[in-house]
Amino acid sequence: MGDPIRRLRGSATGRNRGSVYRDLVWTVATAPNAKDSVAGQTRQCLAALDRSLEEAGSGKTRLLSAQIFLVDMATKPEMDEVWNAWIGPDPDHWPQRACVGAALADGCLVEIILLAAKS
């Protein structure tokens, strides 16, 4: 039997908001208030991701990879403004990041997936 996998329970059936395996943390977030703008939804996602990372024993300075899905790539500058303020000015804390356009659930404008190392 391998090392245990720790699951961070979410509110949706069939999936969790995060998983922890050895020294790695995977987590995902969408905004609970789908009526907000891309900037507002990004802020909501990042706040939820902060909580999940903390619960898993990590933080945004330990990010390895980020995947951001946007319903409309024309809103990327708005999302980037919030992301850049959150991630901070130190390039030693910036993850590898991809941002792609995607069809998301009704009202969801942004979804963010992170991979981080534990602290």
Side-chain angles (χ1 to χ4, degrees):
M1 184 162 184
D3 293 337
I5 299 170
R6 187 170 144 224
R7 311 289 184 178
L8 306 179
R9 297 284 183 229
S11 60
T13 301
R15 58 190 181 267
N16 287 303
R17 63 184 160 83
S19 298
V20 181
Y21 181 71
R22 294 186 178 173
D23 290 334
L24 295 176
V25 177
W26 292 262
T27 187
V28 62
T30 56
N33 180 359
K35 294 182 177 166
D36 216 341
S37 66
V38 167
Q41 287 194 24
T42 301
R43 279 187 209 88
Q44 292 178 59
C45 287
L46 295 173
L49 291 165
D50 275 333
R51 289 188 296 274
S52 291
L53 288 168
E54 182 178 349
E55 182 180 337
S58 188
K60 67 183 172 187
T61 64
R62 304 284 295 159
L63 296 181
L64 301 170
S65 178
Q67 297 174 46
I68 301 174
F69 301 92
L70 294 173
V71 164
D72 182 357
M73 287 301 289
T75 63
K76 185 177 178 294
E78 187 180 350
M79 180 280 304
D80 276 336
E81 186 174 332
V82 176
W83 171 271
N84 289 337
W86 178 77
I87 201 65
D90 187 347
D92 287 338
H93 297 160
W94 299 346
Q96 164 278 324
R97 191 188 97 172
C99 186
V100 298
L104 299 173
D106 287 342
C108 184
L109 303 176
V110 62
E111 183 168 349
I112 302 173
I113 301 171
L114 301 178
L115 170 61
K118 288 179 69 174
S119 298

